[in-house]
Amino acid sequence: MTTSTRAQKLALGKLIFGRPLATEELGEQAISNVVGLAVFASDALSSTAYATEEILVVLVAAGAASFNLSIPIAFAIALLLVIVTLSYRQTIHAYPNGGGAYIVSKTNFGPLAAQVAGAALLTDYVLTVAVSISSGVAQIASGIPGLQDYRIEIALLVIFVMTIINLRGVKESGRVFAVPTYFFLVMAFLLLGVALFQYLTGHLVPVKNVQDAIVPGTEALTGFLILRAFSSGCTALTGVEAISNGIPAFKEPKSNNAATTLTWMSGILITLFLGLTLLAHQVQAAPSTSETVISQVARAIYGDNSLMYFLMLSGTSLILLMAANTSYADFPRLAALQAADGFLPRQLGIKGSRLVFKWGIIVLGALASVLVVFFRADTTALIPLYAIGVFLSFTMSQSGMVVHNWRRRQQNPPLIKEMPVTTGKATHITGEHQMLPVYEYNPHWKREITISGLGAAVTGVVMFVFVITKFAEGAWFVTLLIPCMVFVFYRVHRHYTNVALRLKLNGRRPTHRIGKVKRILLVDSIHLGTLAMVDYAKSLGESWEAIHIAIDPDNTEKVLQRWEQYVRRGNPDIPNLEIIASPFRQLVKPLKEKVEFELELAGEGYVNVIMGHLVMDSYWEQALHQNSQITLDLMLQEIPHVVVTKVPYQIHNADDVPHGTPPPPTTAALPAN
């Protein structure tokens, strides 16, 4: 790669992803409460756009008269939100290193519960991206019907852009997404204010011309139906746990700032949810297959096709799209925690040049894209999958806080102990060590156990109602997915444990071999790259041999002739080219047989296979070549005491060929390329 080409790629990367950040700049990437609300609360706040609608979708089965129940159901959900918020405030102060339900479950219930919580949370985060963006696109399509047929494409584009922005870093993405988040809040509170004024002055009128409204059913209004509506409306709670997972992203004092942001988020969420539910009831909004309840409410307040109607719809669409950013902040952090514990690939725990867990961000974007395509960006189809993981993590986190506070009832709590990483016991992550938590006496333990216990009971009931009522609609998928994910986590963990045991020194040494090295130069054809390989072999100062596998007999004579003409040139120090027959035109098998034969002769020695590799300026140019050295490398690395050396030969398009210079002997591919 030329200097100019490399500089262009670096400049493009800097433009897209931003300049690389040094490790010591990590503290500068901490975010304020204002930015934190935009980063971590957009998911929860965006749920107000569809939570009321989900209640009405269930109640419509019992007829339009049952819509009156949406108000008491909304107040019950608001009360549950208060309980969950108080419980998560406890979590934030008890576990200041973040991790939410994963760390709480790990500390109080052990590694299996932690992996169940981790699977639920990871599933939740992926579905958050898919649900939020699909819902946001649906809001846009409500205002611009011509986009209905392109919802999948728009959703995929949004995911791609959001992934790129988050790869630039949490602080920078927070600044980008703060504007649309606060724009939605302004428009939502303005809508409620105008609606209140119209109500007090007698000008609040029902919405008209609702297209494709769902026809009210005749199902009996049973307690179970009400419970289903309550469970569906509990989607308003999604995203509440995000702040407890992302505590490390806040400025110092981290726990206090995170708890304050959580309180503000819950207060805003309750106000908007109750306000929009009351308003939807007053304007007689009804669930529709082509127009959202938010759109109906905005039309009733501002009129059809007015500027304020489109601004409200735009704000709602933006907050739904931005809600996915909560997952982009939390999914990589949780995946990094699980990777640190050895339950996910180590790559997910590595920070990139912008001090973010880039592989977690990329994996999240890819998985969300698959869901959007598979479910055709249909929010209603995705919701049943979405809620189970959310409420499972709620239940486990709050149950864990019950255990945590029960242990804190003692006047003399247990002392802290250092534990090995491989014990699998409940631990905190502290620096490079994992430590058992310190349980300090808490005089308020009874009150806190009551709050967390009540929250765990209610969220557990909501979860089971979702599983039962939505099982046939897609909830079965998550019910099976979470155990499968836990199984995979433990397979990964077992692999890392086995590798660690096999690499552990404990006074052991690998089999000692001090024999000579047999070097084999693999030649395909003769050109400048071949000469570079020969120069490298000669520079080692040891004897070597060259082989050519005769895949094409017609070409073998030419290779032999050019070896003598361009390589040996009568020099006795350069060996003759050995021809290995391959009647079935195979490359791998004859080479493997040759290597194994030389290993037998080497005894205690090694075999070093030297092969060439053409390096191009671009990926597409590289793909035009056989690149067979990759296959050969994979085959040879399985044979003990075999070392593979690849000699690259760079070809740059910008390099000028000097005038009068004869062309290379051949333009065929480099050996093993």
Side-chain angles (χ1 to χ4, degrees):
M1 186 180 296
T2 62
T3 303
S4 61
T5 303
R6 186 180 296 107
Q8 291 173 358
K9 289 186 176 181
L10 289 174
L12 180 61
K14 184 177 179 181
L15 177 65
I16 296 174
F17 302 111
R19 69 172 180 84
L21 298 174
T23 303
E24 56 267 22
E25 295 182 77
L26 182 61
E28 299 176 13
Q29 296 303 301
I31 57 178
S32 64
N33 292 8
V34 173
V35 175
L37 189 66
V39 172
F40 293 106
S42 54
D43 179 18
L45 296 177
S46 70
S47 62
T48 59
Y50 51 79
T52 301
E53 186 167 348
E54 291 301 316
I55 296 174
L56 297 178
V57 166
V58 176
L59 291 178
V60 74
S66 65
F67 286 174
N68 292 329
L69 291 173
S70 65
I71 296 176
I73 289 174
F75 275 96
I77 293 171
L79 179 60
L80 176 59
L81 178 57
V82 171
I83 295 172
V84 172
T85 300
L86 293 175
S87 179
Y88 270 102
R89 280 182 60 89
Q90 297 177 36
T91 303
I92 288 172
H93 289 291
Y95 298 91
N97 291 323
Y102 179 77
I103 293 296
V104 174
S105 299
K106 176 182 172 182
T107 305
N108 296 289
F109 298 129
L112 177 59
Q115 299 318 309
V116 173
L121 283 168
L122 292 178
T123 303
D124 170 29
Y125 293 142
V126 175
L127 285 164
T128 293
V129 177
V131 168
S132 299
I133 290 180
S134 297
S135 182
V137 172
Q139 297 287 345
I140 295 173
S142 293
I144 310 175
L147 297 178
Q148 288 284 353
D149 294 336
Y150 302 97
R151 293 194 306 178
I152 297 175
E153 292 80 359
I154 296 172
L156 292 176
L157 177 62
V158 173
I159 292 174
F160 176 76
V161 172
M162 188 161 288
T163 300
I164 295 298
I165 293 175
N166 276 276
L167 286 171
R168 294 180 63 92
V170 174
K171 186 174 182 178
E172 191 157 346
S173 64
R175 288 172 175 171
V176 171
F177 297 137
V179 174
T181 299
Y182 285 105
F183 174 70
F184 165 74
L185 292 179
V186 170
M187 295 307 302
F189 279 108
L190 183 61
L191 177 74
L192 295 180
V194 173
L196 178 61
F197 176 78
Q198 291 181 354
Y199 175 77
L200 295 175
T201 57
H203 292 89
L204 186 62
V205 296
V207 65
K208 299 177 182 178
N209 303 322
V210 178
Q211 301 294 322
D212 301 320
I214 299 175
V215 178
T218 57
E219 185 177 332
L221 184 62
T222 62
F224 189 70
L225 181 69
I226 296 173
L227 193 58
R228 282 176 54 198
F230 173 78
S231 300
S232 295
C234 279
T235 53
L237 275 68
T238 56
V240 172
E241 82 290 344
I243 293 176
S244 70
N245 293 331
I247 300 170
F250 284 87
K251 291 182 177 180
E252 295 289 354
K254 296 181 183 294
S255 293
N256 290 339
N257 285 328
T260 300
T261 305
L262 175 63
T263 303
W264 274 100
M265 179 195 73
S266 298
I268 295 171
L269 176 57
I270 290 172
T271 303
L272 290 181
F273 175 55
L274 292 178
L276 290 173
T277 303
L278 290 168
L279 185 53
H281 180 264
Q282 287 296 321
V283 301
Q284 300 175 19
S288 164
T289 58
S290 62
E291 185 181 13
T292 62
V293 168
I294 288 287
S295 174
Q296 296 175 43
V297 169
R299 283 200 299 112
I301 303 302
Y302 296 127
D304 295 353
N305 301 321
S306 66
L307 175 62
M308 293 302 295
Y309 164 72
F310 282 111
L311 288 177
M312 181 62 209
L313 214 58
S314 299
T316 306
S317 302
L318 286 173
I319 191 63
L320 285 165
L321 299 178
M322 296 305 103
N325 193 56
T326 299
S327 291
Y328 277 101
D330 280 338
F331 181 98
R333 292 178 182 276
L334 175 58
L337 283 174
Q338 291 186 261
D341 289 342
F343 288 93
L344 280 177
R346 300 291 193 198
Q347 294 89 330
L348 292 170
I350 300 173
K351 287 186 176 180
S353 61
R354 292 292 295 178
L355 297 177
V356 292
F357 300 105
K358 65 175 184 179
W359 285 112
I361 293 172
I362 293 171
V363 168
L364 174 61
L367 293 177
S369 298
V370 171
L371 282 179
V372 165
V373 173
F374 186 80
F375 288 95
R376 304 191 61 79
D378 185 348
T379 306
T380 303
L382 286 164
I383 284 290
L385 284 70
Y386 183 36
I388 294 174
V390 175
F391 285 94
L392 176 57
S393 63
F394 280 166
T395 304
M396 297 189 70
S397 176
Q398 293 177 105
S399 299
M401 289 307 299
V402 170
V403 176
H404 175 83
N405 286 303
W406 177 255
R407 289 169 174 167
R408 296 173 69 198
R409 78 192 187 283
Q410 302 174 11
Q411 289 285 356
N412 298 310
L415 296 175
I416 190 168
K417 290 182 180 179
E418 185 173 326
M419 299 296 296
V421 175
T422 55
T423 61
K425 293 185 178 180
T427 55
H428 273 325
I429 294 178
T430 307
E432 297 180 355
H433 303 285
Q434 292 194 339
M435 313 291 286
L436 285 175
V438 178
Y439 294 110
E440 299 177 354
Y441 174 69
N442 177 18
H444 308 295
W445 64 271
K446 291 182 179 179
R447 181 187 66 193
E448 295 187 357
I449 282 179
T450 302
I451 292 173
S452 297
L454 180 60
V458 177
T459 55
V461 169
V462 171
M463 180 189 67
F464 281 113
V465 170
F466 259 110
V467 171
I468 295 170
T469 60
K470 302 291 186 180
F471 191 83
E473 299 177 27
W476 63 268
F477 178 74
V478 176
T479 306
L480 294 177
L481 176 64
I482 291 176
C484 290
M485 290 176 67
V486 173
F487 174 77
V488 172
F489 293 163
Y490 269 90
R491 293 285 294 182
V492 172
H493 186 65
R494 188 171 72 176
H495 166 77
Y496 282 130
T497 301
N498 291 338
V499 170
L501 290 174
R502 284 161 175 74
L503 292 177
K504 198 170 184 179
L505 293 175
N506 281 345
R508 298 180 301 163
R509 292 184 62 84
T511 305
H512 196 49
R513 301 176 68 91
I514 55 174
K516 292 185 178 181
V517 178
K518 176 69 174 182
R519 293 182 172 86
I520 301 174
L521 194 70
L522 185 58
V523 177
D524 180 27
S525 56
I526 311 302
H527 50 69
L528 291 178
T530 311
L531 300 183
M533 259 201 318
V534 170
D535 288 342
Y536 171 75
K538 290 164 60 178
S539 71
L540 297 175
E542 300 287 344
S543 62
W544 52 279
E545 67 174 89
I547 65 171
H548 171 76
I549 299 176
I551 296 176
D552 182 2
D554 296 335
N555 188 51
T556 300
E557 284 300 321
K558 295 179 182 179
V559 173
L560 277 171
Q561 178 185 352
R562 290 171 179 172
W563 179 263
E564 295 294 330
Q565 179 181 358
Y566 292 101
V567 181
R568 291 200 72 204
R569 296 184 179 183
N571 185 350
D573 294 333
I574 297 180
N576 292 319
L577 183 62
E578 177 185 350
I579 304 299
I580 298 178
S582 180
F584 298 102
R585 298 164 304 284
Q586 295 176 325
L587 179 62
V588 172
K589 185 178 179 181
L591 178 60
K592 184 177 182 181
E593 292 174 349
K594 169 66 175 176
V595 168
E596 290 175 341
F597 174 75
E598 294 294 343
L599 276 174
E600 291 182 8
L601 297 179
E604 291 296 309
Y606 294 83
V607 172
N608 180 201
V609 179
I610 301 172
M611 62 180 72
H613 173 43
L614 288 180
V615 180
M616 304 296 165
D617 279 344
S618 63
Y619 297 117
W620 73 267
E621 289 176 314
Q622 192 71 54
L624 296 176
H625 296 266
Q626 295 181 45
N627 298 300
S628 54
Q629 88 285 342
I630 299 174
T631 303
L632 295 175
D633 196 10
L634 290 173
M635 180 272 293
L636 293 172
Q637 72 182 7
E638 297 179 356
I639 306 175
H641 316 303
V642 174
V643 180
V644 178
T645 302
K646 288 183 286 188
V647 181
Y649 186 77
Q650 293 80 12
I651 296 179
H652 304 305
N653 296 326
D655 292 345
D656 295 327
V657 178
H659 293 292
T661 301
T666 177
T667 56
L670 194 64
N673 190 49

